[in-house]
Amino acid sequence: MAHGNANAHSHSHEGHHDLESLRSMGFWIFLMTDCILFGSLFATYIVLHANTAGGPTAHELFKMNGVIAETFILLTSSFTSGLAVLSMNQGNRKGLIGWLIVTVLLGASFITLEVTEFVDMVHEGAKISTSGFLSGFFTLVGTHGLHVSIGLCWMIALMIQIGRHGITPVTRRKVNVISLYWHFLDVVWIFVFTIVYLMGVM
Amino acid sequence: MWDSIKEFASGFFVTGDPLIYGADVAIVMTLIAVVSVLTYFKRWTWLWREWLTTVDHKRIGIMYVIASLLMLFRGGVDALLMRTQLAVPNNDFLTPEHYNAIFTTHGVIMILFMAMPLMFGLFNLVVPLQIGARDVAFPFLNSLSFWLFFWGAMLFNMSFVIGGSPDAGWLSYPPLSEMSHSPGVGQDFYIWGIQISGIGSLMTGINFIVTILKMRAPGMKLFKMPMFSWSVLSSCLTIIMAFPILTVTLALLFIDRYFGAHFFTLDGGGNPMMYINLIWMWGHPEVYIVILPGFGIVSEVVATFSRKRLFGYKSMVFALMCIAVFSFFTWAHHFFTMGSGADVNIFFAISTMIIAIPTGVKVFNWIFTMYRGRVSFPTPMLWVMGLILCFVVGGMTGVMLSVAPADFQFHNSYFLIAHFHQVLIGGVVFSYFAGLYYWWPKVFGFKLNEKIGKWAFWLWNIGFYVCFMPQYAVGLMGMTRRVSTYGWDTGWWGMNLVSTIGGFIMGIAFLFQVWQILHSIKFMERDTTGDPWGGRTLEWSIPSPAPHYNFALTPIVDGRDPWWEEKLRRERGEAPKAQPPLEPIHMPKNSGIPFIMSFCWFLAGFGLVFNWLWIAIPGFIGVAACMLAHSFNYNTDYYIPVDEIERTEAAARGAV
């Protein structure tokens, strides 16, 4: 057993770099746990989706036009968040912030449409307390919406930080992480779209 | 005015039971004592600066251990109350309602607020030192994990005197835990106490996976890693797979209770059986989460006190990973009798029995490690011997339970109670005790008194068998769990009386351990070698207690037992390798945010328990504000200059 300084916490530049890569890895593992969280919610929805208890069924409730619009908006926002990362890699701070703003606007319109859809449903008497099916529906789709909303706040906080500090190893990692998060939410939405909406109206 | 305050207080505070009044007095006296001691010795800023805001994994580990020992006391008092009630037939020491609350809190506290934090304490105390790291991967998150556990535990324990305890069993099956059957606040305390501390556990899992995979000393390949670190890795992998399911399950139960949803209700299309599946998909892996690190501890202790390399290293690693994976395929054995059908029961019976194979491999490896070793028996090794015997018997009764048709006889009887206490006390508690005794001198710089320790060991073991062996018998005689009293005509009273005596012997054993710690703090000599047991792994190569930066120079590893091999080289008179000069060490700064953020979580949880949004909403806003404050803080670390490292090292070595 000899001693050396080839460690992650030495004060060389690579040391700092390594710390950022640790954090990225931690975030990947966090996303795996989030996958399991959504997996459990999907499982409960699938178990309960036919238990309408005399309330409205998926077929009667879902209005696909709004849902398809939501889907396109969210997929586009995933694309623009990718463009933001590309701008960052080119060292283009203005482009980075610009594309992040576009992403936030698209995300916000997605949330607006989703909230409108929920409000309409509740007005039609389809509440979370109406049936097991609707409990599963509102919880699953609502959890996804909550994730998107948190992502929006996070992105705004990040834009302020990029404005203050520019593109540094720390902000670079933070942008990479939020873009990962955003793509992940997109993938989850594709499952929501297929399993909840498409299979619901079929 | 006075009347409305009185009316509010009679609902808010638990009243009408002399035991509760006793607890009220004890809590108030303890609080007064703590506050006055801190004020008298002017220790408030010290407490805040050195402990509440610390991100040092060793201090966080110590706080985990202290908190879990306090919870062991509370859970143990619950156990003795239950045993007192059951000592004689037709006893009315506890009312049935009070008995329900006590067996519920006993289970929750022992698993989630005693075993888990004791395990996390050992992770924190040992893993970075063992893999040659300066810290864990995310020190801030580590502190946050601890404080979430702490405030979650506080919230759960408060239910005892404020609002009323949960009483639907430790896993709170619906419909018993739904609004229809538990309209009080006890269940909400249960949901939020566990939810808040569960988030902390999940983050600890992520933290230690990254720490172990990314921060090992140069040269320490995965298959050169000490067995305890391997067991932590397997346990953490299980945590990150299992705990999200718990988060979801508790959230759904909360949504049912708060928003009137129908996930698990009997009406409105809910499905209570889904809860039981979900909770055991977390709950069964959970028991492996707590035992796997115990296997790691035993492997370390056996190798050290046999003065031999661990036998069958690779098969040990393989066994750990097999258990971690199979733990996810056994959950339905908790409800063989619920009508899943023969095919499902066969699958889960066989997958349950399969776990016995890797577990058997480990037991044989420990025995073969001792074979032809120079075995000595100080207290850590004694606990290991106690564990091997106890765990093997407990494991065999587990295989008996896994036989689905036989389980229809054993189900929910005291046979089951005896079995899981045997693997949880004889496996988890005994191995963690072995670990505490083994690493104590590394953490505090002195050994615990061996003589009192041996008394404690024998009392624990004798008490254990006197308490639980009769329970196997009384279970086969038909006594079911959760009964609060029984008649003379059942013929169970003799066995129950013996069992209660055993329970009290274990209580006395715990007092011996408290005495042992106090006595050792006062009288034991400091260990100046840093290596009092003749250890094999890296943690023994540095002074005790370890300096806050752990290693002045990062060790470079070339073997499986690096410190042992280094000692052999020194004995052979080989010249030590040239060492590079010291460099400044990069360290994280302390932060008060984890404590404040967790306290905001506590407020939010408390508000939701009582349906008081005027507390819950500011609580959640506080959580969000803390997150933002942390995100905007770029001034999170500093460097320890070389001359300070030199001074610290000289002070530590100077004592040698």
Side-chain angles (χ1 to χ4, degrees):
Chain A
M1 188 187 76
H3 292 89
N5 270 314
N7 68 330
H9 280 234
S10 88
H11 78 309
S12 61
H13 179 68
E14 291 140 59
H16 272 291
H17 210 73
D18 221 13
L19 214 60
E20 298 308 321
S21 89
L22 280 185
R23 288 175 181 159
S24 299
M25 183 187 183
F27 195 77
W28 272 104
I29 300 178
F30 165 76
L31 281 189
M32 283 167 56
T33 65
D34 226 20
C35 259
I36 295 167
L37 185 134
F38 275 108
S40 312
L41 288 174
F42 273 109
T44 50
Y45 175 77
I46 290 166
V47 169
L48 295 179
H49 80 281
N51 299 5
T52 51
T57 63
H59 199 75
E60 294 162 11
L61 272 178
F62 296 157
K63 298 188 183 69
M64 286 311 281
N65 289 344
V67 178
I68 290 169
E70 279 174 45
T71 308
F72 275 107
I73 290 171
L74 198 67
L75 290 183
T76 314
S77 80
S78 205
F79 179 68
T80 56
S81 84
L83 291 178
V85 174
L86 280 180
S87 302
M88 178 181 74
N89 290 344
Q90 289 161 356
N92 177 358
R93 181 158 92 174
K94 273 192 181 158
L96 167 60
I97 295 182
W99 283 121
L100 283 180
I101 291 173
V102 175
T103 311
V104 166
L105 290 177
L106 288 169
S109 11
F110 169 85
I111 290 293
T112 314
L113 280 176
E114 187 162 82
V115 170
T116 318
E117 184 201 355
F118 280 11
V119 170
D120 283 350
M121 281 190 178
V122 171
H123 278 302
E124 286 169 33
K127 296 187 203 130
I128 195 168
S129 54
T130 305
S131 67
F133 152 65
L134 283 166
S135 305
F137 169 79
F138 280 112
T139 306
L140 171 59
V141 182
T143 305
H144 178 268
L146 184 68
H147 273 70
V148 173
S149 311
I150 291 172
L152 292 178
C153 300
W154 182 2
M155 230 180 257
I156 292 165
L158 192 48
M159 284 191 281
I160 299 170
Q161 290 176 35
I162 298 165
R164 271 192 203 169
H165 300 274
I167 300 172
T168 67
V170 177
T171 50
R172 183 183 289 277
R173 182 254 311 163
K174 288 187 175 184
V175 171
N176 279 326
V177 156
I178 189 134
S179 127
L180 203 61
Y181 180 76
W182 205 254
H183 293 317
F184 167 76
L185 290 182
D186 220 40
V187 174
V188 173
W189 178 258
I190 290 170
F191 280 94
V192 172
F193 181 70
T194 317
I195 293 175
V196 177
Y197 290 105
L198 281 186
M199 289 169 79
V201 292
M202 249 159 47
Chain B
M1 179 69 190
W2 176 241
D3 278 336
S4 66
I5 290 176
K6 231 164 81 176
E7 195 190 309
F8 165 76
S10 68
F12 188 65
F13 296 107
V14 180
T15 50
D17 191 319
L19 286 170
I20 300 283
Y21 293 131
D24 287 334
V25 172
I27 290 168
V28 171
M29 301 258 279
T30 315
L31 278 179
I32 291 172
V34 169
V35 169
S36 36
V37 165
L38 283 171
T39 311
Y40 183 80
F41 291 101
K42 297 195 171 61
R43 285 294 194 163
W44 284 102
T45 46
W46 165 83
L47 182 71
W48 176 257
R49 235 184 275 140
E50 302 281 315
W51 291 93
L52 302 190
T53 61
T54 189
V55 291
D56 181 348
H57 65 94
K58 299 176 286 291
R59 294 203 161 180
I60 291 172
I62 291 171
M63 291 192 289
Y64 266 124
V65 170
I66 294 172
S68 68
L69 291 180
L70 289 173
M71 288 293 107
L72 176 62
F73 174 74
R74 199 236 141 142
V77 170
D78 279 349
L80 294 184
L81 289 173
M82 279 189 279
R83 281 317 320 169
T84 307
Q85 165 66 21
L86 292 176
V88 287
N90 302 327
N91 201 356
D92 56 1
F93 173 63
L94 300 175
T95 60
E97 293 76 22
H98 197 177
Y99 189 85
N100 289 350
I102 288 180
F103 75 65
T104 301
T105 53
H106 169 74
V108 173
I109 282 178
M110 285 303 199
I111 297 282
L112 291 163
F113 299 125
M114 190 284 280
M116 290 291 279
L118 192 51
M119 172 177 96
F120 290 147
L122 288 165
F123 286 11
N124 271 293
L125 293 175
V126 180
V127 169
L129 298 180
Q130 214 172 35
I131 62 172
R134 292 246 163 81
D135 209 327
V136 294
F138 312 115
F140 174 89
L141 205 62
N142 199 19
S143 164
L144 185 58
S145 296
F146 171 75
W147 290 110
L148 284 173
F149 146 69
F150 178 84
W151 285 111
M154 286 297 114
L155 188 61
F156 183 84
N157 275 278
M158 263 172 61
S159 66
F160 184 42
V161 290
I162 294 179
S165 294
D167 54 4
W170 86 280
L171 287 181
S172 281
Y173 289 172
L176 209 52
S177 55
E178 289 281 359
M179 268 306 181
S180 54
H181 292 64
S182 289
V185 295
Q187 276 315 308
D188 301 296
F189 271 119
Y190 172 95
I191 289 170
W192 285 102
I194 296 178
Q195 190 70 293
I196 291 170
S197 65
I199 300 168
S201 306
L202 187 57
M203 293 193 305
T204 305
I206 297 175
N207 207 340
F208 277 85
I209 291 177
V210 179
T211 304
I212 292 172
L213 290 182
K214 286 282 209 173
M215 295 182 67
R216 297 190 309 281
M220 186 182 277
K221 297 198 177 79
L222 273 177
F223 276 98
K224 282 178 182 160
M225 194 162 73
M227 194 49 67
F228 179 65
S229 296
W230 262 115
S231 69
V232 173
L233 181 63
S234 63
S235 170
C236 287
L237 287 170
T238 315
I239 287 176
I240 65 157
M241 310 287 262
F243 268 76
I245 309 177
L246 176 70
T247 308
V248 167
T249 313
L250 293 173
L252 298 186
L253 186 61
F254 171 72
I255 292 170
D256 265 8
R257 291 176 60 85
Y258 200 85
F259 299 105
H262 296 288
F263 284 105
F264 311 125
T265 55
L266 291 172
D267 60 338
N271 186 345
M273 198 59 212
M274 186 164 68
Y275 180 93
I276 296 171
N277 273 292
L278 281 171
I279 199 85
W280 280 116
M281 273 183 226
W282 159 77
H284 198 84
E286 165 68 9
V287 301
Y288 291 102
I289 287 168
V290 291
I291 192 62
L292 284 169
F295 293 157
I297 293 167
V298 172
S299 306
E300 299 287 336
V301 172
V302 158
T304 297
F305 295 108
S306 304
R307 313 191 77 69
K308 244 183 84 192
R309 271 183 99 163
L310 184 68
F311 182 90
Y313 177 90
K314 284 195 176 166
S315 65
M316 285 294 221
V317 173
F318 190 62
L320 284 172
M321 291 302 159
C322 277
I323 295 172
V325 172
F326 280 114
S327 67
F328 285 93
F329 297 104
T330 59
W331 81 86
H333 72 214
H334 292 271
F335 37 92
F336 275 146
T337 59
M338 288 201 195
S340 333
D343 297 342
V344 173
N345 279 359
I346 288 171
F347 174 84
F348 284 96
I350 292 174
S351 60
T352 303
M353 292 173 202
I354 282 175
I355 304 245
I357 299 170
T359 312
V361 166
K362 307 186 82 57
V363 173
F364 280 115
N365 279 342
W366 296 327
I367 294 169
F368 284 130
T369 305
M370 284 186 270
Y371 176 68
R372 291 204 167 162
R374 277 178 289 149
V375 188
S376 57
F377 294 98
T379 38
M381 190 63 171
L382 274 184
W383 284 102
V384 163
M385 303 310 291
L387 170 135
I388 292 177
L389 181 66
C390 202
F391 195 72
V392 165
V393 177
M396 286 193 294
T397 55
V399 175
M400 286 169 75
L401 281 159
S402 76
V403 180
D407 186 71
F408 277 73
Q409 180 64 28
F410 305 137
H411 189 78
N412 274 355
S413 75
Y414 263 74
F415 187 90
L416 166 78
I417 304 295
H419 156 70
F420 75 68
H421 280 92
Q422 185 149 25
V423 280
L424 285 171
I425 295 179
V428 177
V429 177
F430 285 11
S431 63
Y432 289 5
F433 280 165
L436 270 186
Y437 284 104
Y438 180 61
W439 282 301
W440 186 280
K442 180 45 63 191
V443 178
F444 295 104
F446 60 89
K447 277 191 199 179
L448 285 173
N449 183 297
E450 287 276 308
K451 198 172 162 194
I452 312 174
K454 282 179 181 163
W455 273 93
F457 169 80
W458 285 110
L459 284 170
W460 261 107
N461 270 271
I462 293 167
F464 175 83
Y465 288 99
V466 174
C467 183
F468 290 103
M469 292 304 120
Q471 291 188 13
Y472 281 117
V474 85
L476 293 178
M477 287 159 73
M479 181 164 162
T480 52
R481 69 197 296 194
R482 304 182 185 120
V483 291
S484 67
T485 191
Y486 54 90
W488 288 102
D489 54 342
T490 53
W492 301 335
W493 74 273
M495 296 285 190
N496 271 300
L497 185 62
V498 173
S499 181
T500 300
I501 293 168
F504 276 91
I505 297 176
M506 282 193 279
I508 295 166
F510 179 75
L511 294 181
F512 265 80
Q513 287 178 307
V514 175
W515 177 31
Q516 179 188 18
I517 292 173
L518 296 178
H519 182 272
S520 306
I521 289 173
K522 201 153 189 270
F523 295 110
M524 288 303 275
E525 279 179 28
R526 295 207 56 76
D527 160 54
T528 52
T529 61
D531 182 18
W533 306 115
R536 313 176 67 81
T537 40
L538 284 179
E539 72 266 31
W540 305 108
S541 68
I542 52 173
S544 314
H548 60 296
Y549 50 79
N550 295 354
F551 295 87
L553 286 167
T554 303
I556 294 174
V557 179
D558 49 15
R560 196 170 285 160
D561 292 316
W563 175 238
W564 182 257
E565 284 152 24
E566 170 80 7
K567 284 189 283 190
L568 289 182
R569 276 198 291 274
R570 284 182 191 176
E571 260 174 42
R572 287 197 300 267
E574 282 177 27
K577 292 191 184 111
Q579 297 200 345
L582 292 172
E583 280 189 32
I585 295 176
H586 185 210
M587 295 292 285
K589 272 187 186 163
N590 283 1
S591 172
I593 294 177
F595 184 83
I596 299 167
M597 197 202 293
S598 313
F599 182 69
C600 291
W601 267 110
F602 169 82
L603 286 181
F606 186 75
L608 288 175
V609 166
F610 282 95
N611 230 328
W612 291 343
L613 291 181
W614 55 275
I615 293 187
I617 291 169
F620 281 119
I621 291 174
V623 171
C626 286
M627 280 179 170
L628 283 176
H630 180 60
S631 175
F632 277 84
N633 181 13
Y634 278 61
N635 177 24
T636 53
D637 24 33
Y638 70 105
Y639 285 97
I640 307 177
V642 170
D643 57 327
E644 194 191 322
I645 304 170
E646 275 167 352
R647 271 200 310 277
T648 316
E649 288 293 302
R653 304 282 171 199
V656 175

